[in-house]
Amino acid sequence: QVQLLESGGGSVLAGGSLRLSCAVSGITVPIYSMAWFRQAPGKEREAVAVLATTGSTYYADSVKGRFTVAEDGQNNLYLYMDNVKPEDSAMYYCTARAGSRWSVDSSFWKNWGQGTQVTVSS
């Protein structure tokens, strides 16, 4: 069973930076995709960044040019957040799924961590 543990969230001023980490375990196949989602109070969970098994990436328009998703080859997923904005405030979740397919639809992903809170103040 895939297990995910996020860390690195916190409070930061607008314009600052954060690095979120996610330790992924239980993946027994070499082909898998990973992603970061976020959910603000009263809003749906939305895809922030996806790292496909091919190495290709997807970013939500709202974070393009500011966020970077990366993996270190040891099943640790990262989200580098630069020039953060108050609207980036949310609970951030990582997810992973075996196979080469991926989706921005949260229902596609079956395994979630407990999340890490990011709060950006102006």
Side-chain angles (χ1 to χ4, degrees):
Q1 182 176 353
V2 177
Q3 294 183 322
L4 307 108
L5 182 62
E6 303 95 335
S7 61
S11 297
V12 62
L13 292 175
S17 298
L18 277 176
R19 186 189 78 165
L20 305 185
S21 301
C22 176
V24 184
S25 61
I27 290 183
T28 58
V29 295
I31 299 175
Y32 53 91
S33 295
M34 296 186 285
W36 287 97
F37 280 70
R38 67 186 180 187
Q39 187 167 21
K43 295 188 176 182
E44 294 187 353
R45 191 169 295 190
E46 63 173 352
V48 175
V50 179
L51 179 61
T53 187
T54 58
S56 61
T57 56
Y58 159 89
Y59 294 98
D61 288 343
S62 59
V63 307
K64 278 182 182 176
R66 300 188 298 119
F67 290 10
T68 303
V69 62
E71 192 253 343
D72 65 1
Q74 298 183 16
N75 290 347
N76 294 306
L77 183 68
Y78 301 98
L79 185 68
Y80 296 88
M81 306 168 62
D82 295 315
N83 190 24
V84 295
K85 303 176 180 181
E87 51 264 42
D88 294 323
S89 296
M91 186 72 79
Y92 283 71
Y93 300 90
C94 70
T95 183
R97 177 165 171 163
S100 60
R101 295 171 58 228
W102 60 271
S103 173
V104 297
D105 186 341
S106 62
S107 65
F108 171 84
W109 305 86
K110 306 304 180 184
N111 303 290
W112 299 93
Q114 85 291 345
T116 186
Q117 179 68 42
V118 171
T119 302
V120 182
S121 55
S122 57

